[in-house]
Amino acid sequence: MDSLPLFLTGTLLAAGLYWFFFIYGSAERQGKLAVNLSGGSISSEKIQDKYKQYWSFFRRPEKIETTEKVPDYVDTFYNLVTDIYEWGWGQSFHFARPIPGKSYKEATRLHEEMVADLVKAKPGDRILDVGCGVGGPMRSIAAHSKANVVGITINDYQVQRARLHNRKAGLDSLCEVVCGNFLEMPFSDETFNGAYAIEATCHAPKLEDVYSEIYRVLKPGSLFVSLEWVSTDKYDTSNPEHVKIIEEIARGNALPGVKSYSDVAKSAKKVGFEVLKEEDLAKPPALPWWERLKMGRVAYWRNHILVTILATLRIAPKGTLDVHEMLVEAADYLTRSGDAGIFSPMHLIVCRKPESPKTC
């Protein structure tokens, strides 16, 4: 008689563990399970080597800003992390201001729709998404505005994922994805009615290089909206702890350094843009953007155990655990930067390309 309760208890426990590890997680996650984690376009046997090469490269910040290898290593980074991001965070690889009474999913959607409104996207427009990832923002903005959105990402695996999600969402008629380097975009001059970048141009060694390309492909009078990763006015370069935090954010996120908030408008003006608005959306009274990272610590613990198990069983490729550890550490430094107020992932700038080119 005792065997039946024991069997039921064991069954419930097994079902609970299965749900906890394989089902429970980000509400935004669609179509990516832990058992399907991969290295993107990198073959399984090369993931660990590629991770070591990536980490070795970004351990040398003094050599990064001028190197031509940055795009290749950004591509490597997104091969390594895209599945983990999508599994644990969702299809929108960015932060959003928390909104009381709203889920993270809803807050993210509203954040993206704000960008669509700022760029004044409307039906019939052709809007450029600079650094589109797997296309979460693209789909929100296309659904909200009914504009045609063209996304560019350097990572071919993200192109495949974005196209898959576009079809699933029934938005492939409005959303197009192109593989390319946003420092050398494969688009003709003056072909877009607007452009936006959500936490993406931080991967450029110099902001003016990517801003000049965006300027080139925009039609005169069009708007460009960007949310930049920057150090704030509270960042003290003489404070070793501050310097350590910012350096680790760069290393853990494939950034060739973190730009200062004071550089953003200067870079935009340098290439010819008119700056219409500049604001750090992370500043009070906005709720802490990094709270999602703190609330996710249980998920990190769960995910890390699961990745360890999957890697041990060789279900997940060798090196996946190293990548996940890197991302957990990066999340910790991002949280510390938020607590210290020295970093913002949502420094907003709204620019316009003049109707007539400025003459010197």
Side-chain angles (χ1 to χ4, degrees):
M1 295 292 292
D2 292 338
S3 60
L4 180 58
L6 185 62
F7 172 77
L8 292 174
T9 300
T11 301
L12 288 173
L13 179 60
L17 288 172
Y18 180 84
W19 174 82
F20 184 67
F21 284 121
F22 291 90
I23 305 300
Y24 174 72
S26 169
E28 298 97 327
R29 189 198 66 229
Q30 298 176 24
K32 179 58 64 177
L33 297 175
V35 292
N36 295 325
L37 294 180
S38 73
S41 300
I42 301 172
S43 60
S44 297
E45 65 274 10
K46 293 183 179 180
I47 290 175
Q48 192 163 53
D49 287 342
K50 284 291 186 180
Y51 166 75
K52 290 178 179 178
Q53 291 171 16
Y54 163 83
W55 194 242
S56 175
F57 179 76
F58 279 94
R59 292 294 294 182
R60 300 171 294 168
E62 74 280 359
K63 296 182 180 179
I64 291 175
E65 285 195 18
T66 58
T67 183
E68 295 180 354
K69 293 182 179 180
V70 169
D72 289 339
Y73 278 97
V74 171
D75 182 31
T76 295
F77 174 79
Y78 280 110
N79 273 321
L80 294 171
V81 306
T82 290
D83 277 358
I84 296 175
Y85 276 2
E86 194 176 333
W87 165 52
W89 192 262
Q91 296 173 24
S92 295
F93 297 174
H94 63 80
F95 292 97
R97 291 177 294 180
I99 301 174
K102 301 288 186 182
S103 67
Y104 288 121
K105 182 179 181 180
E106 292 174 300
T108 297
R109 176 181 57 79
L110 292 171
H111 193 72
E112 293 162 353
E113 290 179 356
M114 171 200 70
V115 171
D117 293 338
L118 285 171
V119 83
K120 296 185 179 180
K122 61 184 184 299
D125 280 351
R126 193 166 184 246
I127 304 296
L128 176 64
D129 182 331
V130 183
C132 66
V134 298
M138 168 193 299
R139 288 182 287 279
S140 291
I141 288 170
H144 177 69
S145 67
K146 301 302 184 287
N148 296 285
V149 183
V150 180
I152 184 169
T153 172
I154 200 168
N155 183 254
D156 184 65
Y157 182 67
Q158 289 189 335
V159 172
Q160 298 171 38
R161 295 296 298 169
R163 289 173 177 169
L164 173 65
H165 289 306
N166 290 346
R167 289 194 297 272
K168 286 184 176 180
L171 290 168
D172 49 346
S173 63
L174 290 177
C175 297
E176 178 186 348
V177 193
V178 174
C179 188
N181 183 351
F182 60 34
L183 299 175
E184 300 174 343
M185 291 192 281
F187 306 121
S188 301
D189 295 356
E190 300 183 359
T191 54
F192 290 95
N193 304 101
Y196 65 86
I198 302 179
E199 302 181 28
T201 54
C202 50
H203 293 297
K206 294 181 181 179
L207 275 180
E208 52 263 36
D209 289 345
V210 62
Y211 282 3
S212 64
E213 268 295 271
I214 295 166
Y215 186 93
R216 178 183 67 80
V217 301
L218 281 177
K219 295 179 180 179
S222 299
L223 298 174
F224 166 55
V225 176
S226 188
L227 291 161
E228 296 291 348
W229 280 33
V230 297
S231 58
T232 71
D233 54 359
K234 292 185 178 181
Y235 175 56
D236 181 2
T237 56
S238 66
N239 184 322
E241 180 65 16
H242 285 192
V243 173
K244 173 71 172 176
I245 290 171
I246 293 299
E247 284 183 350
E248 293 301 331
I249 287 174
R251 290 167 181 165
N253 293 278
L255 309 183
V258 175
K259 282 74 174 177
S260 169
Y261 75 98
S262 61
D263 293 335
V264 179
K266 290 178 185 176
S267 298
K269 291 176 182 176
K270 185 175 180 179
V271 305
F273 278 118
E274 299 171 348
V275 177
L276 306 181
K277 181 178 182 179
E278 185 176 20
E279 179 185 3
D280 186 351
L281 300 183
K283 285 188 174 181
L287 296 175
W289 56 268
W290 62 96
E291 281 302 306
R292 185 178 181 186
L293 295 172
K294 288 184 176 180
M295 296 295 289
R297 283 177 179 170
V298 172
Y300 295 150
W301 170 81
R302 176 206 67 211
N303 291 353
H304 198 61
I305 291 175
L306 180 54
V307 172
T308 302
I309 293 171
L310 294 175
T312 301
L313 297 175
R314 298 188 179 181
I315 296 173
K318 186 178 181 181
T320 305
L321 184 60
D322 293 328
V323 177
H324 192 261
E325 286 178 346
M326 175 186 72
L327 295 180
V328 170
E329 186 173 1
D332 179 63
Y333 280 107
L334 284 165
T335 300
R336 290 162 63 179
S337 77
D339 286 334
I342 63 173
F343 172 82
S344 170
M346 53 186 76
H347 186 91
L348 171 72
I349 186 168
V350 181
C351 307
R352 179 171 57 207
K353 181 174 180 177
E355 290 286 354
S356 300
K358 291 183 178 180
T359 57
C360 298

